[in-house]
Every structure is written in C-alpha cells, then in structure tokens.
Amino acid sequence: MPADGPLKRRTKIAVVIGTLEVGGAELDIVRNFPQLNRDEFDVIVLAYERAGILAPELQRQGIRVIAGDLGTPAVSKSWLMRRIRTVAYLSRVVPWIGHALRAEQVDIAHFFLPNSYGYGMLACMLMRSKVRRVMSRLSLNFYSDTNAMLAWLERSVLHARVDIAIGNSRPILGELAEEGVDPAKLRLLHNGIDPAPFERHSGDRKKAREEIGIAQDTYVILAVGNLHTYKGHADLIEACALAAEQMPTGWRLLIAGRDQEGNRATLDALAAACGVAANVSFLGERDDVPLLLSAADVFAHPSHHEGLPNSIIEAMSASLPVIGTSVGGIPEAVLALSAGVGSDEETGWLVPPKDPDAIGAALVEASKEVDRRIQMGERARERAVAEFSLERSIEAYERIFRELQT
C-alpha cells in the first residue's frame, strides 16, 4: 500500500559527555533520553573519554554510544606542563567531537557538564556547524575557582553562542544569567525519576534490615553520594559525634558512594578520632540504593554546594524525611519549617552548610520525634511524585528539542 507521503526525518540528538560512569548527570541521561518519543527523536551519546559502566544500559534501551577513548588530560604538578597537556588534549577531543557531529548528521548537540560544554561548543564553532546547541548545568559554578580558563571561555565566548541553557534549579539559572546568558535562553528543568522502584511497602524495612544485618530497633541515618569533599561527609560524621549521646544507643550512619581522591581513608580516620567508628559504615558504590533507603529512618545530604541531587529525590520517593543543607536547589525539594512552610507541609530539615552543630540538632530531633518524621516522609513521597516525576522531565526535554526545530 503506498505511503501517504514521505516519512518525516527524526530529529537527531547527540548527547555529549565525558563518560557514562555513575553520577548525577549520567543517571539523568540514562533515565530520560531512552524515554523520548522514538518516532520523533533519534538519540546517540558521544562519550569522548570512554564509554563507562552505564553505557550497556543505554545500548540495551536502543541508544547508540560512540566512545572516543581519549581519556583525560595527563596530570602534572607543573603549571606549564598542565597547560601543554591541556592544549594537546584539546587538539584531540575537539576534532573528534566535531567529526562525530558531522558524520552522524546531528541536528541538536546537548552538552552535559562543564568540560563537555567547552569542548563541544568549540567543536561546533570551529567546524562552523549549524547544529543547534544545548547545555545542561547541574551544579552551582564552583569549578570556576579552579578552572579560570573555562570560566573565562564560558563568559566571553560560549554563553553568547549557545541556543538553550538548562539549569536544574533556580540558583543555577541565576548564576547563568549573571554570567551573561540571555535570560530568553534559560530553561528550568528539575531532575525527574521514576518513583516506583523506591516505594516502600509493608515489611520492606524489616526485610532490608535483615539483609544488611542491622537490628530492627536501630536508629539508621543514610547518606548516598560519592565521597567528594564538597558532599560534606566530614560534617555529617562530626555532627553524629556531637549528637551521639542524645541519639538512641547503637545508632548507625551508613554512607554509600565510591571513594574520591582518597577521601575514604580521611573519613575513616575522622570517625575514629571522633570516637564513632563503630557506628559508621562505609558501603562503597552500591546498586541496591532502594534497599538501603528501605532500611533507613532519615536521609542526610550535607553538601556544601549542589544543583538538585537525584539522591534527595530518591530518598523522598522512599518516604524518608531529608536533612539537607540550604544550598543550590535543595530548598526547592526539601520543605522545612526554617524556610517558612507550615508544619503540615514540611518534608525535612534545612541547615546551613558546613555546620555540624545544626546537622546534629536535626539528627537528634529526627531520632526523638518518630511520628513527625514518619509524617514528613509521607509528605516527601507525595511531593516527589507530584513535582519530580520522570514524566515531567521527559516532557520538558521534548518541549525544548521541539522548540529548537521550529
């Protein structure tokens, strides 16, 4: 039977990122992009460093991952050698991205994370590409303190040439506007997750604690996040030490996340020095976060700076109250009395960053006010489903990509 007319070509989108190792941006890609309308969008991923552990999952869902296997610039203590190696790396990665965009006949290039934005935009500019350009920033611009060249490049060159700049929280959009991005190009897109895997059912808590080996009456604090210094794990350990005598005997702090820059050893030593080593367990990188959430009483996220952490939304989806710092997009997710909401709205506690005393006080409250924390957790689940669903974020991505094709 003859077709009614020529088939419309799908919009070709290239997601550009260093690697698909486990991280907030990478998980955002895995959760959202396979769910885009396949009749309308054709998605590939360009991973210039290496494929990464999440690549097979994307490929299983029908998204092609093209790996450059270029690694990262070699590290050197010498300022001059660092610059030479950075230039040498640029001379490899920028042409690779440019060639891939051209060979794949890409319509929209979407850059995740700062380095990808820098390399990818330079590739588009040097090849004089008509590819439409989108960038996503998922954290506050703390990297400008250590990467002055990239910060200058963004403000002086890249921001004027990007078509859409996405932030996952309002403070990030504010920073981008201050850096010179045209406000008309800014889009707010909160992280979205599927809450179903994190839903707690009757008996889940008991089963989870049995599997982990924790007594049913233990007060359990959970933190999930790679052990970057800025994640504030040291503050959390100090807070637990300060609050230890006021919390139930035998309390436990579980910290899940892979080591970064040797911080695991530093945190181990801190826990020992604070006298709480027996109460603190480092679980390493885990693929059973829903199980850990089921075992917990409260979720702690003491970051010094953030965008909008997926881990907080996951904890809320698991009906856990959250103790979070009042930085970045965290107050957009966690509603607390300290931020002026009513007691019938609160979903957790907001505390200042780098403040173990305040974190400790919240931990004590959560341990003593059981009914209140359970009610907070129930409201947190309702809020996560209503405001941070995967459906909402997928619709937002599709809306942005359609806008660029008009």
Side-chain angles (χ1 to χ4, degrees), residues 40 42 88 90 115 237 293 295 297 314 352 356 394:
E40 190 175 357
D42 178 17
L90 279 169
N115 285 338
I237 292 170
L293 291 168
D297 293 305
E314 292 172 355
I394 291 167

Side-chain angles (χ1 to χ4, degrees), residues 329-352:
I330 293 177
E332 292 175 40
V334 180
L335 303 183
L337 292 177
S338 61
V341 305
S343 59
D344 60 345
E345 299 173 274
E346 62 177 344
T347 63
W349 291 261
L350 290 173
V351 298

Side-chain angles (χ1 to χ4, degrees), residues 355-374:
D355 192 339
D357 287 305
I359 298 169
L363 290 171
V364 171
E365 276 192 33
S367 72
K368 294 181 181 298
E369 301 182 27
V370 178
D371 289 342
R372 179 186 173 197
R373 80 173 185 237
I374 291 173

Side-chain angles (χ1 to χ4, degrees), residues 81-113:
M81 286 305 300
R82 284 201 307 273
R83 294 297 178 267
I84 291 172
R85 288 170 176 171
T86 298
V87 171
Y89 186 74
L90 279 169
S91 71
R92 299 196 309 274
V93 70
V94 170
W96 183 87
I97 293 172
H99 173 77
L101 293 176
R102 183 186 297 112
E104 294 293 331
Q105 298 182 315
V106 169
D107 300 301
I108 299 172
H110 192 151
F111 311 116
F112 276 81
L113 303 180

Side-chain angles (χ1 to χ4, degrees), residues 240-369:
C240 286
L242 291 168
E245 292 186 2
Q246 300 178 67
M247 293 194 294
T249 302
W251 62 269
R252 292 288 298 279
L253 169 60
L254 308 181
I255 299 176
R258 69 173 178 267
D259 191 12
Q260 296 287 340
E261 302 169 356
N263 282 335
R264 164 66 189 274
T266 302
L267 294 170
D268 265 328
L270 176 63
C274 290
V276 294
N279 301 82
V280 179
S281 298
F282 294 93
L283 307 180
E285 190 170 3
R286 302 284 293 234
D287 59 4
D288 59 351
V289 171
L291 176 75
L292 300 179
L293 291 168
S294 292
D297 293 305
V298 65
F299 187 83
H301 197 91
S303 279
H304 301 163
H305 48 74
E306 276 291 358
L308 180 62
N310 284 322
S311 61
I312 282 182
I313 303 173
E314 292 172 355
M316 292 171 63
S317 298
S319 301
L320 282 181
V322 175
I323 298 172
T325 44
S326 52
V327 298
I330 293 177
E332 292 175 40
V334 180
L335 303 183
L337 292 177
S338 61
V341 305
S343 59
D344 60 345
E345 299 173 274
E346 62 177 344
T347 63
W349 291 261
L350 290 173
V351 298
K354 304 181 182 181
D355 192 339
D357 287 305
I359 298 169
L363 290 171
V364 171
E365 276 192 33
S367 72
K368 294 181 181 298
E369 301 182 27

Side-chain angles (χ1 to χ4, degrees), residues 211-232:
E211 288 194 30
I212 297 172
I214 295 177
Q216 297 300 320
D217 60 351
T218 300
Y219 175 52
V220 178
I221 307 151
L222 175 65
V224 177
N226 295 332
L227 305 185
H228 297 284
T229 302
Y230 75 86
K231 289 293 186 180

Side-chain angles (χ1 to χ4, degrees), residues 11 13 33 36 40-41 108-110 132-136 163-167 185-190 392-406:
T11 301
I13 300 168
F33 283 82
L36 298 183
E40 190 175 357
F41 303 107
I108 299 172
H110 192 151
R132 305 306 298 273
R133 306 155 191 178
V134 182
M135 66 90 85
S136 282
D163 294 298
I164 295 289
I166 297 172
K185 297 179 179 180
L186 297 174
R187 302 290 183 274
L188 176 65
L189 199 163
H190 283 142
R392 286 174 67 103
S393 61
I394 291 167
E395 288 172 3
Y397 277 120
E398 290 183 341
R399 188 164 55 248
I400 289 168
F401 295 143
R402 291 185 188 117
E403 177 184 353
L404 289 172
Q405 291 300 96
T406 57

Side-chain angles (χ1 to χ4, degrees), residues 112-268:
F112 276 81
L113 303 180
N115 285 338
S116 301
Y117 178 44
Y119 301 147
M121 287 291 288
L122 287 175
C124 289
M125 291 160 55
L126 291 174
M127 67 186 285
R128 299 185 179 181
S129 169
K130 294 182 179 179
V131 171
R132 305 306 298 273
R133 306 155 191 178
V134 182
M135 66 90 85
S136 282
R137 183 181 288 179
L138 305 179
S139 66
L140 293 173
N141 189 3
F142 61 91
Y143 60 86
S144 62
D145 295 333
T146 56
N147 196 334
M149 179 59 70
L150 178 57
W152 174 86
L153 186 66
E154 287 181 338
R155 290 167 170 79
S156 302
V157 180
L158 306 185
H159 287 343
R161 291 167 173 80
V162 73
D163 294 298
I164 295 289
I166 297 172
N168 67 351
S169 67
R170 291 180 179 84
I172 289 176
L173 294 185
E175 280 193 343
L176 287 167
E178 290 175 2
E179 293 169 18
V181 178
D182 183 345
K185 297 179 179 180
L186 297 174
R187 302 290 183 274
L188 176 65
L189 199 163
H190 283 142
N191 298 359
I193 71 165
D194 178 3
F198 302 97
E199 185 175 3
R200 298 172 77 157
H201 301 281
S202 176
D204 281 356
R205 183 178 187 273
K206 181 176 185 295
K207 179 181 177 182
R209 291 190 170 209
E210 287 174 350
E211 288 194 30
I212 297 172
I214 295 177
Q216 297 300 320
D217 60 351
T218 300
Y219 175 52
V220 178
I221 307 151
L222 175 65
V224 177
N226 295 332
L227 305 185
H228 297 284
T229 302
Y230 75 86
K231 289 293 186 180
H233 294 103
D235 302 330
L236 180 56
I237 292 170
E238 291 181 17
C240 286
L242 291 168
E245 292 186 2
Q246 300 178 67
M247 293 194 294
T249 302
W251 62 269
R252 292 288 298 279
L253 169 60
L254 308 181
I255 299 176
R258 69 173 178 267
D259 191 12
Q260 296 287 340
E261 302 169 356
N263 282 335
R264 164 66 189 274
T266 302
L267 294 170
D268 265 328

